[in-house]
Amino acid sequence: MEKPAGFWIRFLAYFIDGIIVSVPSYIILFIINTVFVAGSVAADPYMTQEEYMVTYMTLAFLPTMLITLVISVLYYGLLTASKMQGTLGKKILGLKVVNEQGERVSVGQGIGRYFAYILSGIIFYIGFIMIAFGEKKGLHDIICKTRVVYK
């Protein structure tokens, strides 16, 4: 059986992944906001603060959040299920994600694991803190029947 990865190395991998995912997200946010601000000011320079906020939320913020969600699902989900068996952060640190039998996870498990990450962070990150205790498994590992081990 492969050695399970502990809290701090997994935290570092997640931190690296956060940087990798945030860069394209911020570039997209910058482009959308630049286009939106220029377009809205040109279209109606006398719009009220309330009108501006409603327009901003529908034309810039919500699409950016949706695009960021898609980027994250593809990055975390597909890389975890790929031959790499984990994200770039995990690969850099010599980790991989496996199922309960020690094999590569399915695409469904990889994508499900991303959404379970969100659940792990909802209440004071307790689902992540669980990794530091017991079987070195977070709530997302338990839900998706996966574990993170050293290569």
Side-chain angles (χ1 to χ4, degrees):
M1 182 167 226
E2 295 148 310
K3 181 180 175 192
F7 176 81
W8 289 110
I9 194 155
R10 290 178 67 176
F11 175 83
L12 183 56
Y14 193 70
F15 181 78
I16 292 167
D17 292 329
I19 292 169
I20 291 168
V21 169
S22 66
V23 168
S25 298
Y26 283 122
I27 290 169
I28 291 167
L29 177 64
F30 177 77
I31 291 168
I32 289 174
N33 279 320
T34 302
V35 169
F36 168 74
V37 169
S40 65
V41 170
D44 185 3
Y46 303 107
M47 130 176 12
T48 66
Q49 179 76 22
E50 292 79 18
E51 291 171 329
Y52 178 84
M53 287 309 295
V54 168
T55 306
Y56 171 77
M57 291 298 287
T58 54
L59 296 180
F61 181 76
L62 293 176
T64 300
M65 291 296 101
L66 182 60
I67 291 167
T68 300
L69 177 65
V70 170
I71 289 170
S72 296
V73 167
L74 293 175
Y75 177 80
Y76 288 100
L78 297 183
L79 284 180
T80 298
S82 74
K83 288 182 182 178
M84 216 164 67
Q85 290 185 275
T87 59
L88 295 174
K90 285 184 179 61
K91 181 172 176 66
I92 289 167
L93 296 173
L95 305 175
K96 66 180 179 177
V97 180
V98 296
N99 64 17
E100 290 180 326
Q101 292 75 38
E103 299 167 350
R104 194 165 89 190
V105 302
S106 68
V107 173
Q109 278 179 304
I111 292 172
R113 194 173 148 79
Y114 171 73
F115 287 105
Y117 272 158
I118 296 169
L119 186 59
S120 284
I122 285 180
I123 302 174
F124 304 114
Y125 296 95
I126 196 73
F128 290 107
I129 294 170
M130 291 169 59
I131 297 167
F133 305 98
E135 298 180 31
K136 307 252 187 267
K137 290 179 111 181
L139 181 61
H140 49 284
D141 294 313
I142 294 167
I143 291 170
C144 295
K145 299 181 178 169
T146 60
R147 52 197 170 95
V148 179
V149 297
Y150 288 93
K151 287 188 176 183

